[in-house]
Amino acid sequence: MSDLRTIKIDGVEHDVPAEYTLMQACEEFGNAEIPRFCYHERLSVAGNCRMCLVEWEGAPKPQASCALQVKDLRPNRDGSPAHIKTNSPLVKKAREGVMEFLLINHPLDCPICDQGGECDLQDQAMAYGRDFSRFEENKRAVDDKHMGPLVNTIMTRCIQCTRCVRFITEVAGVQEIGLVNRGEDAEITTYLEQSLTSELSGNVIDLCPVGALTSKPYAFNARPWELDKVESVDVMDAVGSNIRVDSRRDAVLRILPVVNDDVNEEWISDKTRFVWDGLTRQRLDRPFVRENGKLRQAGWDEALALAAEKLKGDPGRIAAIAGDLCDAESMFALKELMGSLGVQNIDCRQDGSLVGTGSRESYLFNTTIAGIDRADAILLVGANPRLEAPIINARIRKRWLEGGLDVGMIGEVADLTYDYDHAGETAADLVNFSRASTGFAAALKDAENPMIVVGQGALVGEEGLALLSALGNLMSGPNFAREDWNPFNVLHTAAARVGGLDMGFVPGEGGKSASGILDAAERGDMDTVYLLGADEFDASRLKNSFVIYQGHHGDAGAHVADIILPGCAYTEKDGLYVNTEGRVQMGMRAVPPKGMAKEDWAIIRALSAAVDRVLPFDTQSELRDQLVEKHPTFGALGYAPGAVASTAFDVSTLGKDGALSSETLRSPVADFYMTNPIARASNVMAECSALLDGPTLAEAAE
């Protein structure tokens, strides 16, 4: 239990934990509102804006409440507790003075500033400032800085709160923004005026309390009061970050994070934040049918009738593959349709992975994302979390900065923003690592809460199963198998993958996996292949099959399709998604579908009627009822199963014995900005991708 100290806040005594700051004490116990600019709950304390001043009765001057802890307060000479005032005349005068200083050089840009309506400086100037200024000198001007294609800078507005500096240094882990000079000459700048290289750089836009750092793609598009706001779930990776989609009429204009301490805290990746312009480009907005080698527009009835005709053939020569962005309802509907047709060749693992047919714990991130905060040793196997899940990588870095965490890596060397012990590059190196008794190997085996994180790049094919078997042997020690801690974690990269595995969207008895389907199609042994938003493979292998593509973007699958059925992107439909830790979350519709596009489950329901296999639901609600009835895990919204009893998860059942690969384990994500059809359609993501090889001389000199 925390050491409690008695202090008086605005005349009322409270027992407050000694490690609390005065700001925390006043807000939590005194119900006082303390203004601030530089302070942020997830960043280190800077204490440089002085807006949070309070009066400590008897002290010679007001105190910065963000930087002074309760334990630093001494009692009064008569033994009575220290008295903190948050609304005294001295406090009012001090805050007015601080605000006057902040506005001395701040430009009158409010009518043209994108921060207008959401500006902390505006709000606090109204609440705590004076209605006049005594400053009659010329305002200073500061040159704008080049921070890349995502962050727009108007540095004359900057109040030097240093939130951006602390975020980039502490959370993102790339020291690319700093404060230079002193006094009136102080300014925020990037080193050598190059683009920010962090996958989390867009979060500085949310952190900036004024309009100095704003969103470059969103610039001058809208005012916040014009936008419709819907909370939803991100599908750019398998983390399931909570987001807010802001739209006007039928267009998404920006995406912002929603606080969820168990998943993404209050950060989102740049791909999540800026991919929205790809939602309107290269869209499939009407059905198409290929005729004489060329696609032509068609009506829904014609397209569905032709698709139904192709699905009435030999079930052994028909297959379905679900893509990475699918919602659970559409995959369930397609699985039920294929089951009614007797088709066993179905798979949601388009990357060739064979993982997911065992217990649920064999393919989840079992320690949960929040569980990283408890870990004291983490082994990464074939994973690059900085590219595959930047939010999880930031969580690992946060735990690493606290101290007491050892990190090891088996796989391709990468800059993960924290130090790690490189224990090998291939799956075969696991054998030597398991036998080692020194260095990180010893730290992992002796750790109280060890974690093993396996990336998707290490789990492809039979060699992936052999690697899992080797990891099962490694985790057979007493510290790994505990009732309150399951150290085994799979880091998925596809938002749809865990949901598909949970409902069994894998080959049935005698059925072919995704790799087998593509092999058979290449040989001409597969008559019809149904692609539900599947694009992340060599689509040219399907040229000898009839391809039905249901999706929302004209990407790889649509290029080889004989029939195109236009579906909805994730912002245009309600849907369930299951993240890498097994947490079921609800995505919500923010804008209407494009053109003649329909919701994916509804397309499959209509198709079932065309093939005389009518699915037993007419609404999405009825579909969900059946989904939850057959797979109860989908009914536990917002719940991550976490560690299970060791008796329920036997590590010896992981994978199967086989030869370990001697090839370097590589992340499946080569280009962070180009991992799905929406991202590949985005101009902003294309610009970011072009900068991966380094900025040009012209950009560096802007």
Side-chain angles (χ1 to χ4, degrees), residues 39-347:
Y39 177 80
H40 191 276
E41 293 81 357
R42 302 186 196 276
L43 303 176
S44 61
V45 175
N48 56 5
C49 78
R50 319 310 285 182
M51 194 64 206
C52 64
L53 293 175
V54 296
E55 180 183 357
W56 177 7
E57 193 174 73
K61 60 182 181 180
Q63 305 294 311
S65 62
C66 69
L68 187 65
Q69 292 182 296
V70 171
K71 63 184 178 184
D72 297 324
L73 300 179
R74 54 167 177 75
N76 295 324
R77 290 182 178 179
D78 60 1
S80 60
H83 188 190
I84 303 299
K85 298 179 180 179
T86 66
N87 54 10
S88 66
L90 177 65
V91 172
K92 183 175 184 295
K93 182 179 180 181
R95 290 174 180 169
E96 288 177 350
V98 169
M99 182 59 69
E100 192 173 5
F101 272 116
L102 289 174
L103 294 176
I104 277 176
N105 285 311
H106 198 77
L108 298 175
D109 281 353
C110 297
I112 60 164
C113 179
D114 269 335
Q115 197 81 351
E118 299 172 317
C119 179
D120 291 349
L121 190 64
Q122 277 185 338
D123 296 340
Q124 294 186 39
M126 289 293 294
Y128 304 104
R130 289 191 174 98
D131 57 359
F132 64 92
S133 172
R134 292 170 289 181
F135 188 75
E136 297 178 352
E137 312 301 323
N138 292 326
K139 290 178 180 283
R140 78 161 186 169
V142 181
D143 290 339
D144 296 339
K145 307 299 185 293
H146 174 71
M147 291 191 182
L150 305 179
V151 181
N152 188 47
T153 64
I154 302 180
M155 301 312 294
T156 300
R157 301 172 184 165
C158 178
I159 60 172
Q160 289 87 43
C161 71
T162 69
R163 280 186 182 181
C164 56
V165 177
R166 285 173 283 149
F167 173 83
I168 285 292
T169 304
E170 298 165 10
V171 179
V174 291
Q175 299 184 6
E176 295 179 341
I177 302 180
L179 178 71
V180 298
N181 304 325
R182 300 180 66 184
E184 190 180 12
D185 295 325
E187 58 181 278
I188 302 291
T189 184
T190 56
Y191 303 117
L192 302 179
E193 296 247 349
Q194 292 189 355
S195 299
L196 301 179
T197 60
S198 171
E199 296 77 19
L200 299 168
S201 64
N203 290 288
V204 300
I205 296 168
D206 296 333
L207 289 172
C208 185
V210 295
L213 304 179
T214 55
S215 170
K216 191 172 284 189
Y218 172 70
F220 307 122
N221 272 346
R223 288 298 196 184
W225 53 85
E226 300 176 302
L227 303 175
D228 296 318
K229 304 169 179 64
V230 175
E231 292 190 4
S232 189
V233 178
D234 173 51
V235 299
M236 293 297 110
D237 53 31
V239 174
S241 298
N242 288 207
I243 59 174
R244 193 186 85 192
V245 181
D246 288 1
S247 61
R248 185 173 57 188
R249 292 186 286 276
D250 62 344
V252 174
L253 292 184
R254 66 176 180 179
I255 295 174
L256 301 175
V258 170
V259 177
N260 186 329
D261 286 332
D262 291 331
V263 183
N264 58 304
E265 297 182 294
E266 58 186 272
W267 319 125
I268 54 175
S269 73
D270 289 348
K271 185 163 52 178
T272 298
R273 182 184 298 271
F274 295 107
V275 79
W276 51 265
D277 72 309
L279 291 167
T280 56
R281 302 184 68 251
Q282 300 179 18
R283 287 301 301 269
L284 303 173
D285 58 357
R286 61 195 66 241
F288 287 88
V289 171
R290 193 173 296 278
E291 195 174 79
N292 299 323
K294 293 186 177 181
L295 289 171
R296 64 167 177 83
Q297 294 183 24
W300 272 109
D301 291 341
E302 180 187 0
L304 290 174
L306 180 57
E309 178 185 334
K310 295 298 181 180
L311 292 174
K312 291 179 179 178
D314 179 4
R317 298 175 66 88
I318 299 174
I321 301 176
D324 292 348
L325 307 182
C326 299
D327 57 284
E329 291 91 338
S330 62
M331 288 190 289
F332 179 71
L334 182 58
K335 179 176 180 287
E336 294 295 292
L337 175 59
M338 291 298 159
S340 70
L341 295 170
V343 175
Q344 301 294 323
N345 307 313
I346 64 172
D347 206 346

